[in-house]
mmCIF file of all heavy atoms in Angstrom:
data_model
loop_
_atom_site.group_PDB
_atom_site.id
_atom_site.type_symbol
_atom_site.label_atom_id
_atom_site.label_comp_id
_atom_site.label_asym_id
_atom_site.label_seq_id
_atom_site.Cartn_x
_atom_site.Cartn_y
_atom_site.Cartn_z
ATOM 1 N N GLU A 112 269.834 189.395 -79.831
ATOM 2 C CA GLU A 112 269.293 188.036 -79.893
ATOM 3 C C GLU A 112 268.123 187.952 -80.871
ATOM 4 O O GLU A 112 268.027 187.017 -81.659
ATOM 5 C CB GLU A 112 268.827 187.574 -78.505
ATOM 6 C CG GLU A 112 269.974 187.280 -77.559
ATOM 7 C CD GLU A 112 269.496 186.762 -76.212
ATOM 8 O OE1 GLU A 112 268.357 186.250 -76.128
ATOM 9 O OE2 GLU A 112 270.264 186.883 -75.229
ATOM 10 N N ARG A 113 267.221 188.938 -80.782
ATOM 11 C CA ARG A 113 265.974 188.841 -81.551
ATOM 12 C C ARG A 113 265.621 190.173 -82.221
ATOM 13 O O ARG A 113 266.112 191.222 -81.797
ATOM 14 C CB ARG A 113 264.813 188.441 -80.631
ATOM 15 C CG ARG A 113 265.113 187.209 -79.827
ATOM 16 C CD ARG A 113 263.876 186.409 -79.504
ATOM 17 N NE ARG A 113 264.277 185.094 -79.023
ATOM 18 C CZ ARG A 113 264.389 184.022 -79.789
ATOM 19 N NH1 ARG A 113 264.108 184.090 -81.079
ATOM 20 N NH2 ARG A 113 264.785 182.871 -79.287
ATOM 21 N N PRO A 114 264.757 190.129 -83.221
ATOM 22 C CA PRO A 114 264.330 191.378 -83.873
ATOM 23 C C PRO A 114 263.834 192.407 -82.861
ATOM 24 O O PRO A 114 264.066 193.599 -83.028
ATOM 25 C CB PRO A 114 263.211 190.917 -84.805
ATOM 26 C CG PRO A 114 263.536 189.500 -85.135
ATOM 27 C CD PRO A 114 264.157 188.948 -83.894
ATOM 28 N N ALA A 115 263.174 191.943 -81.792
ATOM 29 C CA ALA A 115 262.659 192.871 -80.788
ATOM 30 C C ALA A 115 263.797 193.693 -80.173
ATOM 31 O O ALA A 115 263.606 194.866 -79.830
ATOM 32 C CB ALA A 115 261.912 192.106 -79.700
ATOM 33 N N GLY A 116 264.976 193.084 -80.022
ATOM 34 C CA GLY A 116 266.121 193.792 -79.463
ATOM 35 C C GLY A 116 266.550 194.929 -80.362
ATOM 36 O O GLY A 116 266.836 196.045 -79.901
ATOM 37 N N ALA A 117 266.578 194.662 -81.683
ATOM 38 C CA ALA A 117 266.962 195.703 -82.657
ATOM 39 C C ALA A 117 265.947 196.831 -82.626
ATOM 40 O O ALA A 117 266.312 198.013 -82.667
ATOM 41 C CB ALA A 117 267.070 195.098 -84.055
ATOM 42 N N ILE A 118 264.663 196.473 -82.515
ATOM 43 C CA ILE A 118 263.612 197.508 -82.468
ATOM 44 C C ILE A 118 263.795 198.380 -81.238
ATOM 45 O O ILE A 118 263.714 199.605 -81.305
ATOM 46 C CB ILE A 118 262.202 196.844 -82.468
ATOM 47 C CG1 ILE A 118 261.927 196.213 -83.835
ATOM 48 C CG2 ILE A 118 261.120 197.868 -82.129
ATOM 49 C CD1 ILE A 118 260.656 195.375 -83.898
ATOM 50 N N ALA A 119 264.097 197.739 -80.083
ATOM 51 C CA ALA A 119 264.287 198.498 -78.838
ATOM 52 C C ALA A 119 265.429 199.494 -78.980
ATOM 53 O O ALA A 119 265.299 200.659 -78.581
ATOM 54 C CB ALA A 119 264.534 197.544 -77.675
ATOM 55 N N ILE A 120 266.541 199.050 -79.532
ATOM 56 C CA ILE A 120 267.699 199.951 -79.661
ATOM 57 C C ILE A 120 267.391 201.055 -80.681
ATOM 58 O O ILE A 120 267.730 202.216 -80.470
ATOM 59 C CB ILE A 120 268.956 199.152 -80.060
ATOM 60 C CG1 ILE A 120 269.364 198.263 -78.884
ATOM 61 C CG2 ILE A 120 270.093 200.092 -80.452
ATOM 62 C CD1 ILE A 120 270.527 197.373 -79.150
ATOM 63 N N GLU A 121 266.706 200.692 -81.744
ATOM 64 C CA GLU A 121 266.367 201.671 -82.781
ATOM 65 C C GLU A 121 265.456 202.766 -82.219
ATOM 66 O O GLU A 121 265.604 203.939 -82.540
ATOM 67 C CB GLU A 121 265.692 200.938 -83.953
ATOM 68 C CG GLU A 121 265.703 201.694 -85.259
ATOM 69 C CD GLU A 121 267.096 202.051 -85.775
ATOM 70 O OE1 GLU A 121 268.084 201.442 -85.333
ATOM 71 O OE2 GLU A 121 267.180 202.970 -86.614
ATOM 72 N N LYS A 122 264.531 202.373 -81.348
ATOM 73 C CA LYS A 122 263.629 203.354 -80.742
ATOM 74 C C LYS A 122 264.401 204.346 -79.889
ATOM 75 O O LYS A 122 263.975 205.472 -79.688
ATOM 76 C CB LYS A 122 262.586 202.650 -79.865
ATOM 77 C CG LYS A 122 261.382 202.172 -80.638
ATOM 78 C CD LYS A 122 260.333 201.659 -79.661
ATOM 79 C CE LYS A 122 259.160 201.045 -80.379
ATOM 80 N NZ LYS A 122 258.406 200.163 -79.483
ATOM 81 N N GLY A 123 265.539 203.878 -79.324
ATOM 82 C CA GLY A 123 266.357 204.763 -78.493
ATOM 83 C C GLY A 123 267.011 205.860 -79.312
ATOM 84 O O GLY A 123 267.450 206.867 -78.767
ATOM 85 N N ARG A 124 267.077 205.685 -80.635
ATOM 86 C CA ARG A 124 267.591 206.676 -81.592
ATOM 87 C C ARG A 124 269.051 207.042 -81.406
ATOM 88 O O ARG A 124 269.573 207.878 -82.147
ATOM 89 C CB ARG A 124 266.774 207.978 -81.528
ATOM 90 C CG ARG A 124 265.362 207.813 -82.022
ATOM 91 C CD ARG A 124 264.522 208.987 -81.596
ATOM 92 N NE ARG A 124 263.147 208.822 -82.059
ATOM 93 C CZ ARG A 124 262.624 209.548 -83.026
ATOM 94 N NH1 ARG A 124 263.331 210.454 -83.642
ATOM 95 N NH2 ARG A 124 261.373 209.340 -83.389
ATOM 96 N N GLY A 125 269.724 206.466 -80.426
ATOM 97 C CA GLY A 125 271.103 206.870 -80.170
ATOM 98 C C GLY A 125 272.114 206.114 -81.020
ATOM 99 O O GLY A 125 273.275 206.511 -81.117
ATOM 100 N N PHE A 126 271.669 205.055 -81.659
ATOM 101 C CA PHE A 126 272.609 204.189 -82.367
ATOM 102 C C PHE A 126 272.499 204.392 -83.877
ATOM 103 O O PHE A 126 271.407 204.334 -84.441
ATOM 104 C CB PHE A 126 272.300 202.725 -81.993
ATOM 105 C CG PHE A 126 273.239 201.738 -82.605
ATOM 106 C CD1 PHE A 126 274.576 201.696 -82.222
ATOM 107 C CD2 PHE A 126 272.796 200.867 -83.592
ATOM 108 C CE1 PHE A 126 275.442 200.783 -82.806
ATOM 109 C CE2 PHE A 126 273.670 199.952 -84.172
ATOM 110 C CZ PHE A 126 274.986 199.916 -83.784
ATOM 111 N N ARG A 127 273.644 204.620 -84.538
ATOM 112 C CA ARG A 127 273.615 204.902 -85.968
ATOM 113 C C ARG A 127 274.344 203.847 -86.794
ATOM 114 O O ARG A 127 274.675 204.060 -87.951
ATOM 115 C CB ARG A 127 274.205 206.300 -86.272
ATOM 116 C CG ARG A 127 273.421 207.442 -85.649
ATOM 117 C CD ARG A 127 272.005 207.521 -86.162
ATOM 118 N NE ARG A 127 271.936 207.749 -87.608
ATOM 119 C CZ ARG A 127 270.864 207.465 -88.369
ATOM 120 N NH1 ARG A 127 269.809 206.925 -87.802
ATOM 121 N NH2 ARG A 127 270.879 207.723 -89.655
ATOM 122 N N GLY A 128 274.681 202.722 -86.187
ATOM 123 C CA GLY A 128 275.370 201.662 -86.920
ATOM 124 C C GLY A 128 274.380 200.672 -87.496
ATOM 125 O O GLY A 128 273.187 200.961 -87.622
ATOM 126 N N GLY A 129 274.861 199.472 -87.851
ATOM 127 C CA GLY A 129 274.005 198.417 -88.382
ATOM 128 C C GLY A 129 273.755 197.360 -87.316
ATOM 129 O O GLY A 129 274.281 197.445 -86.200
ATOM 130 N N TYR A 130 272.932 196.371 -87.660
ATOM 131 C CA TYR A 130 272.596 195.325 -86.696
ATOM 132 C C TYR A 130 272.996 193.951 -87.219
ATOM 133 O O TYR A 130 273.286 193.761 -88.389
ATOM 134 C CB TYR A 130 271.084 195.301 -86.426
ATOM 135 C CG TYR A 130 270.588 196.540 -85.717
ATOM 136 C CD1 TYR A 130 270.043 197.608 -86.446
ATOM 137 C CD2 TYR A 130 270.692 196.646 -84.341
ATOM 138 C CE1 TYR A 130 269.601 198.745 -85.793
ATOM 139 C CE2 TYR A 130 270.240 197.779 -83.693
ATOM 140 C CZ TYR A 130 269.700 198.831 -84.427
ATOM 141 O OH TYR A 130 269.264 199.948 -83.768
ATOM 142 N N HIS A 131 272.979 192.993 -86.282
ATOM 143 C CA HIS A 131 273.000 191.590 -86.692
ATOM 144 C C HIS A 131 272.124 190.812 -85.711
ATOM 145 O O HIS A 131 272.325 190.897 -84.506
ATOM 146 C CB HIS A 131 274.417 191.018 -86.706
ATOM 147 C CG HIS A 131 274.455 189.665 -87.326
ATOM 148 N ND1 HIS A 131 274.575 189.488 -88.686
ATOM 149 C CD2 HIS A 131 274.327 188.427 -86.802
ATOM 150 C CE1 HIS A 131 274.523 188.191 -88.971
ATOM 151 N NE2 HIS A 131 274.373 187.521 -87.826
ATOM 152 N N VAL A 132 271.134 190.097 -86.238
ATOM 153 C CA VAL A 132 270.187 189.380 -85.385
ATOM 154 C C VAL A 132 270.552 187.894 -85.347
ATOM 155 O O VAL A 132 270.634 187.229 -86.390
ATOM 156 C CB VAL A 132 268.737 189.567 -85.889
ATOM 157 C CG1 VAL A 132 267.761 188.809 -84.991
ATOM 158 C CG2 VAL A 132 268.376 191.044 -85.941
ATOM 159 N N LEU A 133 270.786 187.390 -84.136
ATOM 160 C CA LEU A 133 271.220 185.988 -83.974
ATOM 161 C C LEU A 133 270.058 184.999 -84.070
ATOM 162 O O LEU A 133 270.249 183.838 -84.361
ATOM 163 C CB LEU A 133 271.886 185.814 -82.608
ATOM 164 C CG LEU A 133 273.210 186.529 -82.389
ATOM 165 C CD1 LEU A 133 273.599 186.447 -80.913
ATOM 166 C CD2 LEU A 133 274.299 185.907 -83.257
ATOM 167 N N HIS A 134 268.859 185.474 -83.780
ATOM 168 C CA HIS A 134 267.658 184.621 -83.683
ATOM 169 C C HIS A 134 267.777 183.600 -82.552
ATOM 170 O O HIS A 134 267.473 182.420 -82.721
ATOM 171 C CB HIS A 134 267.334 183.957 -85.022
ATOM 172 C CG HIS A 134 266.861 184.951 -86.040
ATOM 173 N ND1 HIS A 134 265.603 185.505 -86.008
ATOM 174 C CD2 HIS A 134 267.516 185.551 -87.064
ATOM 175 C CE1 HIS A 134 265.494 186.391 -86.997
ATOM 176 N NE2 HIS A 134 266.639 186.430 -87.647
ATOM 177 N N GLY A 135 268.247 184.082 -81.398
ATOM 178 C CA GLY A 135 268.323 183.228 -80.209
ATOM 179 C C GLY A 135 269.625 183.426 -79.463
ATOM 180 O O GLY A 135 270.378 184.359 -79.733
ATOM 181 N N ALA A 136 269.864 182.564 -78.495
ATOM 182 C CA ALA A 136 271.105 182.592 -77.719
ATOM 183 C C ALA A 136 271.503 181.146 -77.454
ATOM 184 O O ALA A 136 270.653 180.246 -77.550
ATOM 185 C CB ALA A 136 270.878 183.330 -76.399
ATOM 186 N N LEU A 137 272.757 180.932 -77.136
ATOM 187 C CA LEU A 137 273.217 179.570 -76.820
ATOM 188 C C LEU A 137 272.376 179.031 -75.673
ATOM 189 O O LEU A 137 272.209 179.695 -74.651
ATOM 190 C CB LEU A 137 274.694 179.581 -76.393
ATOM 191 C CG LEU A 137 275.722 179.927 -77.474
ATOM 192 C CD1 LEU A 137 277.129 179.905 -76.868
ATOM 193 C CD2 LEU A 137 275.628 178.952 -78.643
ATOM 194 N N ASN A 138 271.820 177.853 -75.851
ATOM 195 C CA ASN A 138 270.955 177.283 -74.827
ATOM 196 C C ASN A 138 270.928 175.759 -74.972
ATOM 197 O O ASN A 138 270.010 175.194 -75.576
ATOM 198 C CB ASN A 138 269.539 177.872 -74.957
ATOM 199 C CG ASN A 138 268.681 177.549 -73.759
ATOM 200 O OD1 ASN A 138 268.900 176.536 -73.080
ATOM 201 N ND2 ASN A 138 267.711 178.392 -73.491
ATOM 202 N N PRO A 139 271.949 175.085 -74.411
ATOM 203 C CA PRO A 139 272.037 173.621 -74.552
ATOM 204 C C PRO A 139 270.762 172.908 -74.116
ATOM 205 O O PRO A 139 270.376 171.924 -74.727
ATOM 206 C CB PRO A 139 273.208 173.254 -73.638
ATOM 207 C CG PRO A 139 274.046 174.479 -73.582
ATOM 208 C CD PRO A 139 273.092 175.632 -73.680
ATOM 209 N N LEU A 140 270.092 173.438 -73.062
ATOM 210 C CA LEU A 140 268.882 172.770 -72.569
ATOM 211 C C LEU A 140 267.774 172.754 -73.612
ATOM 212 O O LEU A 140 266.916 171.891 -73.594
ATOM 213 C CB LEU A 140 268.370 173.461 -71.300
ATOM 214 C CG LEU A 140 269.219 173.241 -70.047
ATOM 215 C CD1 LEU A 140 268.813 174.213 -68.952
ATOM 216 C CD2 LEU A 140 269.087 171.813 -69.553
ATOM 217 N N GLU A 141 267.799 173.727 -74.527
ATOM 218 C CA GLU A 141 266.796 173.742 -75.592
ATOM 219 C C GLU A 141 267.402 173.297 -76.911
ATOM 220 O O GLU A 141 266.808 173.515 -77.979
ATOM 221 C CB GLU A 141 266.165 175.136 -75.698
ATOM 222 C CG GLU A 141 265.282 175.423 -74.500
ATOM 223 C CD GLU A 141 264.662 176.807 -74.514
ATOM 224 O OE1 GLU A 141 264.786 177.517 -75.532
ATOM 225 O OE2 GLU A 141 264.055 177.169 -73.493
ATOM 226 N N GLY A 142 268.592 172.722 -76.833
ATOM 227 C CA GLY A 142 269.238 172.194 -78.030
ATOM 228 C C GLY A 142 269.736 173.260 -78.990
ATOM 229 O O GLY A 142 269.864 173.009 -80.194
ATOM 230 N N ILE A 143 269.994 174.466 -78.477
ATOM 231 C CA ILE A 143 270.465 175.529 -79.357
ATOM 232 C C ILE A 143 271.963 175.756 -79.178
ATOM 233 O O ILE A 143 272.422 176.168 -78.108
ATOM 234 C CB ILE A 143 269.689 176.845 -79.103
ATOM 235 C CG1 ILE A 143 268.211 176.593 -79.432
ATOM 236 C CG2 ILE A 143 270.244 177.987 -79.949
ATOM 237 C CD1 ILE A 143 267.297 177.729 -79.056
#
Side-chain angles (χ1 to χ4, degrees):
Chain A
E112 288 183 22
R113 307 210 166 266
I118 290 172
I120 291 177
E121 200 59 18
K122 275 187 185 161
R124 292 165 181 251
F126 183 68
R127 297 298 299 159
Y130 293 96
H131 189 86
V132 180
L133 293 170
H134 291 285
L137 292 179
N138 192 333
L140 288 167
E141 290 178 8
I143 297 172

